[in-house]
Amino acid sequence: LEVLALNNITEITKLNALKWQAYNLRNFAGKNPAPGKNNIIVTHGFNIKLSFGTAVDEGYCMVLKPEDSELSLADSIGSLAVANQVFEFDNDAFPVNAIARMTPESALLMQTCDEVRSDAIDNQDDLLASIDTDHDMKITKEEFTAADEKSSYSQDAFDFISSVFI
């Protein structure tokens, strides 16, 4: 109930605290992270249920992606009353899509980027790892064309592949 006092909400009830928390969680989750970063929220399952309508068990992980092609929450919802205060959604907060729900057990089975890179480097038969000479898990045009120096079409092939996949 501290959240109510912090926001000068005079009607101190559990329902008002849950509403304010859910609106804040939805607002934060709807914001795009800085380039190369992620927004991380650690909370209880009931907050997830109240904020997004999806129940999760203890220890689960939800991966949410802001859908910035939709109207912002400020434009689509605007504001919501909580007792004597009004919660205003931000212009840079958007609806979210749940793109993954992961059990605690499945998190342990995931390979990290470093593990994938190490496995590729250690595997002498891995064609892509042999082309990726600096082992940064990105094949540049120079690495691609150097791998097939005899072909006069490797630059055109790289340009075509890049236009389709990148």
Side-chain angles (χ1 to χ4, degrees):
L1 300 178
E2 292 174 23
V3 69
L4 299 176
L6 290 171
N7 291 286
N8 299 315
I9 298 172
T10 55
E11 192 178 323
I12 308 294
T13 66
K14 186 174 182 177
L15 179 61
N16 286 338
L18 292 173
K19 283 182 185 179
W20 198 266
Q21 286 175 187
Y23 300 159
N24 266 297
L25 186 59
R26 183 139 195 150
N27 196 56
F28 180 75
K31 294 184 179 207
N32 284 315
K37 303 290 182 183
N38 291 305
N39 294 335
I40 305 290
I41 303 168
V42 178
T43 189
H44 295 283
F46 68 87
N47 285 328
I48 300 290
K49 174 73 172 160
L50 291 171
S51 301
F52 307 104
T54 302
V56 294
D57 291 331
E58 186 175 329
Y60 273 63
C61 171
M62 292 281 302
V63 179
L64 305 169
K65 180 180 184 295
E67 189 53 65
D68 57 7
S69 64
E70 309 253 339
L71 288 174
S72 73
L73 295 178
D75 291 332
S76 61
I77 298 172
S79 59
L80 297 167
V82 179
N84 64 310
Q85 295 293 340
V86 175
F87 183 88
E88 300 278 344
F89 284 97
D90 295 333
N91 288 322
D92 62 345
F94 298 91
V96 297
N97 285 326
I99 57 174
R101 185 165 85 171
M102 194 167 46
T103 67
E105 297 79 17
S106 64
L108 299 174
L109 301 174
M110 292 180 60
Q111 263 191 315
T112 66
C113 290
D114 277 345
E115 291 171 330
V116 170
R117 182 183 0 251
S118 294
D119 288 351
I121 292 168
D122 293 343
N123 183 355
Q124 301 299 320
D125 296 328
D126 190 316
L127 176 63
L128 292 177
S130 68
I131 295 172
D132 183 19
T133 56
D134 61 3
H135 306 297
D136 65 352
M137 298 182 70
K138 298 176 187 173
I139 297 177
T140 65
K141 188 172 191 172
E142 292 74 26
E143 289 171 324
F144 186 85
T145 55
D148 191 19
E149 293 174 340
K150 296 176 189 149
S151 173
S152 60
Y153 298 109
S154 59
Q155 288 189 10
D156 292 337
F158 182 86
D159 291 340
F160 173 74
I161 292 168
S162 296
S163 73
V164 174
F165 291 109
I166 300 175

